[in-house]
Amino acid sequence: MVDLRAATPDDAEAVTAIYAPYVVTNAVSFETRAPTVKEMRSRIVAAGDIHPWIVASESNVILGYAYAKPFRPGPTHRFGVEVAVYAAGELEGKGIRRTLLSSLLMTLTEQNFTQAICTLMTPNDKLIQLYESCGFRRAGAYREVCFKNGQWSDIGLWQRELAEAGTPPDEIKSFSSVGVVRG
């Protein structure tokens, strides 16, 4: 059975190994150079106790991860997050990303975040299907703003409400007080 837990800085090596192929071999990542283990460790640490990083593992082997980061800087945007999910290449299509994304969304909802945003380089039918199956809807696009691997790509925006619109939000709860929520 797949175990879900909060990522720790000690997971940086495994997370980096999962992420690097996405940077190097395809147009999923917006980065052109894979981060080092030290850089990935810094990203996990920088999330603090507000923005979750969740790993899926089986027999102590990390299979994938999902995380949330601030949507935009500043206190007026504190209730919105940008989310991403990755699985080890050989596990794509095996449900790991869906499990992680579902857990991340439930965790964010429990923390009182109100909006989750996903930014994807398009076309990307597999990820679009994943996010839309988890309740995201297309919110817009930027045309030909990303140049990677010798070609221009559009950036698509998807959004999922985590709380009913118009409801005054409660303050954000810490990730440690909520823990990883699994459905």
Side-chain angles (χ1 to χ4, degrees), residues 136-153:
F136 284 80
R137 66 182 195 286
R138 191 170 181 94
Y142 298 111
R143 303 283 176 226
E144 297 182 350
V145 295
C146 189
F147 188 77
K148 185 174 179 181
N149 298 334
Q151 67 181 29
W152 288 102
S153 295

Side-chain angles (χ1 to χ4, degrees), residues 9 19 21 28 30 39 42 46 49 60 86 91 93 101 118 128-130 141 146-147 152 155 158 165 169 173 178:
Y19 182 59
V28 171
F30 296 109
E39 290 168 330
S42 293
D49 196 25
N60 295 320
Y86 297 93
L91 297 172
L101 182 57
C118 173
I128 291 169
Q129 288 172 356
L130 170 66
C146 189
F147 188 77
W152 288 102
I155 304 292
W158 278 260
K173 296 177 187 174
V178 169

Side-chain angles (χ1 to χ4, degrees), residues 23 45 62 64 72 96-97 102 105 118 135 152:
V23 175
V45 170
I62 294 179
R72 295 276 187 267
I96 298 297
R97 287 190 297 198
S102 295
L105 294 172
C118 173
W152 288 102

Side-chain angles (χ1 to χ4, degrees), residues 93-132:
K94 306 285 187 197
I96 298 297
R97 287 190 297 198
R98 179 178 310 283
T99 299
L100 280 161
L101 182 57
S102 295
S103 176
L104 179 62
L105 294 172
M106 288 186 285
T107 300
L108 293 167
T109 300
E110 197 65 29
Q111 286 183 266
N112 295 326
F113 286 102
T114 61
Q115 300 290 328
I117 308 295
C118 173
T119 306
L120 298 174
M121 203 175 308
T122 60
N124 193 332
D125 294 340
K126 286 182 184 178
L127 278 179
I128 291 169
Q129 288 172 356
L130 170 66
Y131 281 96
E132 288 182 351

